[in-house]
Amino acid sequence: NIYSDSTIDSPTNYTSGSGNNRGNYATLNSLANSKFQSKSLSEGNTKFAGNMSGASGYPTAFSTIGMTSGKFYCEATVDNSTDQSGIYVGVCDKQMTTTEVTVANTYPGGPGGNAYGAPGDMKKNGSNVSTGNPTYGNGDVIGIAYDADNGKLYFSKNGTFVNSANPSGGTSPNISGITGEQFFVFGAYGDRNV
């Protein structure tokens, strides 16, 4: 397969007279690759895949655009996962994208992170915020809605927001109290891919 995607790293929607409207959106950041371990980006930097065995920490990828104000949304599709573990998606602050957090301590729910894990747990800075949420695995689409103005994070599974979270109304966030610039973050252990 040959993929040829091109985007500009400034989220802007374009309206065209022909009705063929377009936008440019964040992708995964190929330059912030110190946490990839043995995984790599493909399909225009929208797929994070590979196999990892025996290394410490989670192979982790970050979005190209940081979020300081406004409302943002992205989706991650789980691929090649045979169990409900080893995948976390969410947002993180800049410390996770740099060497401030070591590779061994890197995973989206770890230091500086706020994430929803495939086993149904939600974590903030390494601590459980909630457990017993819906699990997810191969083929599931996880939505991540982030309200940077109010520090609220919402997750959906296959189009249904978890625990009656309502990003449109600003109510029942899955994780709140998030401050500072955030990046979408995706972590996948072993042969699990997003």
Side-chain angles (χ1 to χ4, degrees):
N1 293 337
I2 298 174
Y3 297 95
S4 138
D5 294 335
S6 174
T7 60
I8 300 168
D9 276 349
S10 176
T12 306
N13 289 322
Y14 298 98
T15 303
S16 141
S18 68
N20 187 16
N21 298 332
R22 298 176 183 211
N24 55 342
Y25 309 95
T27 61
L28 297 175
N29 192 344
S30 62
L31 301 178
N33 59 9
S34 65
K35 308 292 176 80
F36 285 8
Q37 297 188 40
S38 62
K39 292 188 183 284
S40 61
L41 297 178
S42 62
E43 299 182 25
N45 292 347
T46 62
K47 185 170 185 174
F48 186 52
N51 197 347
M52 183 208 74
S53 59
S56 60
Y58 276 65
T60 304
F62 313 95
S63 64
T64 52
I65 298 175
M67 303 168 283
T68 56
S69 64
K71 295 182 180 176
F72 300 84
Y73 180 79
C74 81
E75 292 182 341
T77 301
V78 179
D79 183 34
N80 196 31
S81 179
T82 56
D83 60 30
Q84 272 77 42
S85 65
I87 297 177
Y88 282 86
V89 299
V91 300
C92 70
D93 63 23
K94 196 158 187 93
Q95 73 174 322
M96 192 180 293
T97 70
T98 67
T99 56
E100 287 181 59
V101 176
T102 65
V103 170
N105 290 322
T106 297
Y107 76 101
N114 303 276
Y116 178 23
D121 57 335
M122 293 188 188
K123 294 186 178 282
K124 180 176 183 175
N125 292 316
S127 298
N128 279 335
V129 173
S130 65
T131 59
N133 301 297
T135 61
Y136 60 88
N138 194 46
D140 287 328
V141 177
I142 304 304
I144 309 163
Y146 179 56
D147 177 350
D149 295 329
N150 297 296
K152 296 178 180 180
L153 185 60
Y154 306 83
F155 296 104
S156 66
K157 176 184 174 183
N158 299 324
T160 302
F161 279 93
V162 177
N163 296 334
S164 302
N166 181 353
S168 296
T171 58
S172 303
N174 298 118
I175 301 175
S176 60
I178 301 168
T179 59
E181 183 177 27
Q182 300 291 310
F183 297 83
F184 286 116
V185 62
F186 309 89
Y189 195 81
D191 66 350
R192 299 156 188 93
N193 305 311
V194 292

